[in-house]
Amino acid sequence: YMDIWVSVLDKNKNWGEPKLIDASGEINTEAHEGSVCFDGRGKKMFFTRCPNMKKQNLGCDIWTADLKGKDEWTNPIKLNLKANDSVSVGHPCVSDDGKFLIFASDMAGGFGGRDLWYTTYDRKSDSWTTPMNMGPEINTAGNELFPTFGKDGSLYFATDGLPGLG
């Protein structure tokens, strides 16, 4: 199973020994965890969790956790982004303010394979809006995965639906 690990860069620019991100078992569970991103302040983590239960068709979900103190991640909460458990949502990519989230999913209404979708956080209702497909300018009949923002705000992602290296 995959878990989330952390390694600290020291003052000499050397990476320390990798350690599990939490010892409590709140973040790393018996499921697969991975594909992590953080808001601009580094106070909220978004990550993918994929349960692995025999004879059940369960898709992945996006969860959030809050930084408590210097290095303790707590309060994991599953985002309500999909209509049923067999759909997968994952590979989160969040804006610096933590209110605009792009993710990959196989939910209905896409262009094929996994598409990139987005949702915004509605502060008034304390919930995420209904996901919207990013459209044919981004999505193809193939799979679009691993979205990330560049420093200049450009969106980068992997695809197997276009010619080239993805």
Side-chain angles (χ1 to χ4, degrees), residues 44-55:
K44 187 167 286 286
M45 174 174 62
F46 293 74
F47 63 98
T48 304
R49 179 176 286 162
C50 302
N52 188 11
M53 301 178 81
K54 289 183 180 181
K55 298 184 182 182

Side-chain angles (χ1 to χ4, degrees), residues 25-146:
E26 281 192 276
I27 307 302
N28 290 320
T29 65
E30 291 182 2
H32 293 285
E33 285 86 19
S35 295
V36 176
C37 68
F38 301 89
D39 69 359
R41 299 182 320 143
K43 301 285 186 183
K44 187 167 286 286
M45 174 174 62
F46 293 74
F47 63 98
T48 304
R49 179 176 286 162
C50 302
N52 188 11
M53 301 178 81
K54 289 183 180 181
K55 298 184 182 182
Q56 291 190 25
N57 183 18
L58 299 175
C60 301
D61 290 289
I62 295 175
W63 291 66
T64 64
D66 300 314
L67 182 62
K68 179 181 174 187
K70 187 177 176 183
D71 60 3
E72 182 182 355
W73 292 97
T74 64
N75 194 29
I77 297 171
K78 180 170 72 169
L79 301 186
N80 184 18
L81 298 173
K82 60 188 192 177
N84 65 61
D85 287 342
S86 64
V87 170
S88 280
V89 296
H91 305 202
C93 171
V94 71
S95 60
D96 278 347
D97 66 3
K99 299 192 181 343
F100 182 78
L101 177 68
I102 298 173
F103 60 92
S105 179
D106 60 354
M107 64 177 65
F111 292 86
R114 298 220 188 316
D115 282 358
L116 296 186
W117 298 75
Y118 72 91
T119 180
T120 56
Y121 180 72
D122 180 20
R123 193 174 191 178
K124 226 178 205 182
S125 66
D126 189 27
S127 64
W128 291 88
T129 60
T130 301
M132 300 290 293
N133 189 285
M134 294 192 74
E137 298 81 22
I138 300 283
N139 294 306
T140 68
N143 293 293
E144 283 67 48
L145 302 168
F146 304 109

